[in-house]
Structures are given as structure tokens and as C-alpha cells.
Amino acid sequence: AVVSTQSTGISCYALSQPYSFIESGGIKCLLEAIAMGGEYQETEVLCQVFMYIFNNVNTRNFVHLRNDVGFLVASLSDPYFILFEKKTENKKECDYVEEREIWLNGSKNAILSLCRTWPGLYTIQVVFKEMMSALTRPFPKIQRTVVNCIYDMLNL
């Protein structure tokens, strides 16, 4: 699989100049690229860059763990992130629904990528309770995604 040039640029910049990357708001861009990442390999590379920033003693204090990881799982844990398709002829609304589904899959891939490393398990446990609370909500698509994510994490 080929990693996109946007992901390559973000990861190269984050790894070569972490301070200027963080000062320019790169963590938000990195998290958005992770959440909207299409291919699993692309998401995995970006998650490893995020974990590098989090594990580095010099840059760790710039990462707000609950907020930043919460952003990654927001599509699974946020009760207002609902995958409703409105009955409208507006193409922009259809694009918005598609974008939310891409974000849902990107979040699932990010969680799986983070759970494959020990620091990632520590990172994801911060928001694991919110993710499990999604199973109690009446949204079958999100419930299915959480259950599939758990199955993939446990290799069932």
C-alpha cells in the first residue's frame, strides 16, 4: 500500500522538527489526518508519529491526552455524532454524511493501530469507557463499528 504525500509530509515534518510542528498547530492537523485517513497503513504511520510525540520526554507536555485521543474516538463516543441521512437533494449534505462515515472508519483504524503497541494501549485506555458507552446508545451503525473494532483488537 502507498502512503499519501500529505501523510508523508506531515510525518516528516513532525519527526524532523517537532517543536515547530507543535507550535504551528500540527497536532490538530495530525489528528485530523488520522481521523480522515483512508488506508489502514496510512493511519498506522500517522498514529506512530502521534505516539512518538507523546512518548518523547521533551514534547510530551504539548499533548493533551484526554482531548487529543478523545478527538480520535469522538465519532464512536460522542452522542451528537449521529450518522443520519437527511432527506435532501443537497449534494453537500450527502458529502457531509460520507465524510462522517470516513471519519468513523478512520477512528476505528486509529484505535486498532494504537492498541497494537503498549504506549498506545495506555493512551487508548483513557477514553475506553466513553467508547464502551457507545454500545448503550441506540445507534446501530456506531454499535456495529465498536463491536467490529473490539473483534479486530482481540483478533476474533
Side-chain angles (χ1 to χ4, degrees):
V2 177
V3 178
S4 75
T5 55
Q6 177 189 7
S7 300
T8 306
I10 289 174
S11 33
C12 286
Y13 183 50
L15 295 175
S16 65
Q17 299 176 349
Y19 290 112
S20 63
F21 176 76
I22 291 168
E23 287 176 1
S24 64
I27 290 182
K28 182 180 181 219
C29 295
L30 178 65
L31 293 172
E32 285 178 4
I34 290 171
M36 297 304 278
E39 294 291 322
Y40 177 74
Q41 290 82 8
E42 181 178 343
T43 304
E44 190 166 358
V45 168
L46 294 172
C47 282
Q48 295 307 318
V49 170
F50 177 74
M51 291 310 301
Y52 171 79
I53 291 172
F54 175 68
N55 287 330
N56 189 344
V57 177
N58 298 324
T59 58
R60 181 177 297 158
N61 58 342
F62 296 110
V63 176
H64 305 288
L65 197 56
R66 182 167 293 282
N67 293 339
D68 293 341
V69 177
F71 177 78
L72 291 178
V73 297
S75 62
L76 299 173
S77 63
D78 189 5
Y80 299 105
F81 187 89
I82 303 170
L83 295 171
F84 283 128
E85 291 189 35
K86 294 185 178 179
K87 306 274 188 215
T88 180
E89 299 291 324
N90 191 355
K91 185 171 177 11
K92 289 187 179 181
E93 181 65 30
C94 295
D95 291 343
Y96 185 64
V97 170
E98 262 181 39
E99 185 176 304
R100 288 186 291 180
E101 288 187 22
I102 290 170
W103 191 20
L104 187 66
N105 289 331
S107 294
K108 177 187 167 197
N109 289 340
I111 291 167
L112 290 175
S113 177
L114 287 174
C115 286
R116 292 205 164 88
T117 62
W118 286 112
L121 278 173
Y122 172 75
T123 304
I124 205 71
Q125 63 90 20
V126 173
V127 292
F128 195 71
K129 184 177 178 182
E130 288 97 14
M131 197 173 87
M132 291 297 108
S133 70
L135 294 173
T136 62
R137 297 197 182 98
F139 307 119
K141 183 158 185 107
I142 293 176
Q143 289 173 344
R144 252 182 278 126
T145 304
V146 171
V147 169
N148 288 340
C149 187
I150 292 169
Y151 280 156
D152 289 342
M153 271 192 271
L154 300 174
N155 288 325
L156 297 178

